[in-house]
Amino acid sequence: DVVLTQTPPTLSATIGQSVSISCRSSQSLLHSNGNTYLNWLLQRPGQPPQLLIYLVSRLESGVPNRFSGSGSGTDFTLKISGVEAEDLGVYYCVQSTHAPWTFGGGTKLELK
Amino acid sequence: QIQLVQSGPELKKPGESVKISCKASGYTFTDYAMHWVKQAPGKGLKWMGWINTYTGKPTYADDFKGRFVFSLEASASTANLQISNLKNEDTATYFCARVAAIPFDYWGQGVMVTVSS
């Protein structure tokens, strides 16, 4: 199975600060069809996860453009350019290139 | 609007069975696969597998083969998850989420299943 390693496990930020979360895969997430199926989710406390980014860098409809995704192969990054209070929660990367689909362990974003 | 509405919380004893439902509305049910995700208390997300809502064919992750069954009531736009012979480690919140070209764009609210003697 593909193992996704997220760092850091916890991130403390002030409002307005820019932060990045890393997601490293144990194998390439480039599919034979040329797509890379790496996605990012945010789970706020007591809520189901919500999709932020899919296909590495495509912003889901309605998601603020302070969120951006980048990367290729085995190394991926989610960046938040100017954290807002509503961004607090746990961020997960999830790959859907290889079966079984797998999630990273999560990165908790807290207020400093 | 698009919604996935799941059934209510469950309290069960070890060895019992539970059936969780996920009712979809606001879109064509058979156009999207339905995936299931487990979240143990205070833990991360774990992919359980998915069901093809057009053919009814389920696919299970290895850890969810045997006691777990995905099924459909297609006429009611509903996907179900049944867990038999419940164990303490099945205590978790179970989410359904739809997937097509864009994965996980809509989620159910989650169902908390508590297994306790």
Side-chain angles (χ1 to χ4, degrees), chain A residues 11 23 57 71 78 101:
Chain A
L11 196 48
C23 176
S57 60
L78 175 71
W101 295 16

Side-chain angles (χ1 to χ4, degrees), chain A residues 2 10 17 19 29-32 37-38 47 52 55 57 59-60 62 66 74 80 84 93 95 99 102 107 110:
Chain A
V2 173
T10 305
Q17 183 180 353
V19 297
L29 299 183
L30 177 63
H31 193 278
S32 56
Y37 296 97
L38 189 283
Q47 297 294 314
L52 300 175
L55 290 173
S57 60
L59 199 64
E60 168 65 346
R66 62 179 178 274
T74 60
I80 311 173
E84 298 194 5
C93 55
Q95 68 83 22
T102 49
T107 295
E110 303 174 324

Side-chain angles (χ1 to χ4, degrees), chain A residues 2 4 12 15 20-21 25 29 39 49 53 55 62 64-65 71 73 75-77 84 86 91 95 100-101 109:
Chain A
V2 173
L4 297 181
S12 294
I15 301 300
S20 293
I21 299 169
S25 174
L29 299 183
N39 319 289
I53 302 277
L55 290 173
N65 60 13
D75 286 350
F76 303 92
T77 302
E84 298 194 5
E86 66 182 20
Y91 290 79
Q95 68 83 22
W101 295 16
L109 178 61

